[in-house]
């Protein structure tokens, strides 16, 4: 599976706050050959820490975990599986709406202007190439959260290391 963040927007009525159920949800999604037509999900390979840095800036601890930028990647409450040390994370539907609002109201270029040069330098690639990669991530996050918010869904997150 690798090192990734997997997001699945779950209808609130169908959600079970149970680590075993969440493990089955993510396993079924990962192993499925076809995505259901109503699926709202996204996988970010390896770059989710850098994406969080882009969204929150270098001084994340100064903005607080309750502000919209902090909700997108790492925000939510933990739900533990009885056999796994790392929790799943659930972002409530009202928090999904706040995160979606932040993504819709904030231009990628604005975020890139604050943190982009540092991210590009860390990658060692031309800044334009790194900006293209993160712009795609941002567009995908914006679409994923917008759909989840419009449908009143909860965001389930699985950080796989």
């Amino acid at each position: 599976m690798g090192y990734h963040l997997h997001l699945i927007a779950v209808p609130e009525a169908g959600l079970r706050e149970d680590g075993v159920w969440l493990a089955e949800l993510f396993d079924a999604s990962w192993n499925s050959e076809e995505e259901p037509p109503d699926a709202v999900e996204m996988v970010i390979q390896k770059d989710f820490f850098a994406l969080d840095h882009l969204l929150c800036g270098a001084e994340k601890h100064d903005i607080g975990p309750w502000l919209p930028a902090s909700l997108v990647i790492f925000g939510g409450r933990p739900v533990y599986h009885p056999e796994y040390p790392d929790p799943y994370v659930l972002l409530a539907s009202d928090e999904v709406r706040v995160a979606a609002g932040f993504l819709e109201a904030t231009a990628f270029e604005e975020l890139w202007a604050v943190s982009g040069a540092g991210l590009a330098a860390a990658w060692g690639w031309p800044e334009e190439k790194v900006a293209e990669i993160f712009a795609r991530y941002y567009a995908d996050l914006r679409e994923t959260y917008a759909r989840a918010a419009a449908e009143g869904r909860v965001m389930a997150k699985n950080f796989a290391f």
Side-chain angles (χ1 to χ4, degrees), residues 100-112:
F102 165 78
L103 292 166
E104 184 60 35
T106 308
F108 169 78
E109 294 76 18
E110 178 184 336
L111 297 170
W112 191 258

Side-chain angles (χ1 to χ4, degrees), residues 65 68 71-72 75-77 90-101 145:
L71 296 173
V72 178
R77 67 187 180 287
L90 294 178
L91 195 61
S93 59
D94 59 332
E95 295 170 313
V96 170
R97 283 189 294 278
V98 170
Y145 271 92

Side-chain angles (χ1 to χ4, degrees), residues 98-145:
V98 170
F102 165 78
L103 292 166
E104 184 60 35
T106 308
F108 169 78
E109 294 76 18
E110 178 184 336
L111 297 170
W112 191 258
V114 174
S115 301
L119 288 175
W123 278 41
W125 294 0
E127 185 172 342
E128 300 80 33
K129 177 72 173 163
V130 179
E132 286 177 25
I133 293 167
F134 280 89
R136 280 194 303 273
Y137 280 141
Y138 194 75
D140 290 347
L141 276 173
R142 183 181 268 176
E143 179 184 337
T144 300
Y145 271 92

Side-chain angles (χ1 to χ4, degrees), residues 29-51:
S29 173
W30 195 261
N31 294 321
S32 175
E33 292 184 25
E34 289 185 25
E35 186 173 294
D38 64 341
V40 179
E41 62 183 285
M42 178 181 178
V43 176
I44 302 169
Q45 298 289 345
K46 298 182 183 177
D47 301 321
F48 58 91
F49 282 102
L51 192 53

